[in-house]
Amino acid sequence: QVQLVESGGGLVQAGGSLTLSCAASGRTLTYAMGWFRQAPGKEREFVAAANWSGSSTAYADSVKGRFTISRVNAKNTVDLQMNSLKPEDTAVYYCAAARTSYIAGRAVGDYDYWGQGTQVTVSS
């Protein structure tokens, strides 16, 4: 049984930083992982993804250069380091896992397991 639990969300001023962490349990060490976000009234959107080892990563254009996805397989965690945060980054952030070792796609349907989400609020 795969379970994903996000942590690290909170309130931060524009220009600040936060690190989200996703603790995974179950057979996820060979799974691709991703982060998505959903703002009020909007669809869930892709943020970042990594393959099973973290050697291959992908980012949405809106966060490229500001966010970094990394995984520590020894701890079975996937982090999202977020720098230079903007008010438009405000959303619930979700961790996701896909049953593939290769980097997964950018669609919600490309992922098989989801966490409950953690709120990130960026004030201007």
Side-chain angles (χ1 to χ4, degrees), residues 4-55:
L4 305 173
V5 179
E6 303 94 337
S7 62
L11 174 64
V12 64
Q13 287 189 334
S17 299
L18 276 177
T19 299
L20 306 183
S21 186
C22 173
S25 61
R27 300 170 61 95
T28 59
L29 288 179
T30 59
Y31 287 2
M33 301 293 291
W35 284 95
F36 285 71
R37 66 187 182 187
Q38 187 167 17
K42 295 188 176 181
E43 293 187 352
R44 194 168 297 189
E45 65 174 7
F46 170 78
V47 174
N51 68 338
W52 75 276
S53 65
S55 61

Side-chain angles (χ1 to χ4, degrees), residues 1-123:
Q1 186 74 10
V2 172
Q3 288 189 322
L4 305 173
V5 179
E6 303 94 337
S7 62
L11 174 64
V12 64
Q13 287 189 334
S17 299
L18 276 177
T19 299
L20 306 183
S21 186
C22 173
S25 61
R27 300 170 61 95
T28 59
L29 288 179
T30 59
Y31 287 2
M33 301 293 291
W35 284 95
F36 285 71
R37 66 187 182 187
Q38 187 167 17
K42 295 188 176 181
E43 293 187 352
R44 194 168 297 189
E45 65 174 7
F46 170 78
V47 174
N51 68 338
W52 75 276
S53 65
S55 61
S56 179
T57 57
Y59 297 92
D61 288 344
S62 59
V63 307
K64 198 174 295 183
R66 300 188 297 122
F67 290 11
T68 303
I69 186 172
S70 60
R71 57 189 308 169
V72 182
N73 283 347
K75 297 182 179 181
N76 211 0
T77 60
V78 181
D79 292 345
L80 185 69
Q81 173 69 43
M82 305 186 295
N83 298 324
S84 302
L85 283 161
K86 305 174 181 179
E88 51 263 44
D89 294 319
T90 295
V92 177
Y93 283 71
Y94 296 91
C95 176
R99 290 192 300 261
T100 174
S101 295
Y102 301 102
I103 195 166
R106 299 175 180 231
V108 169
D110 291 332
Y111 293 81
D112 303 291
Y113 304 98
W114 293 86
Q116 294 301 305
T118 186
Q119 176 71 46
V120 172
T121 302
V122 184
S123 63

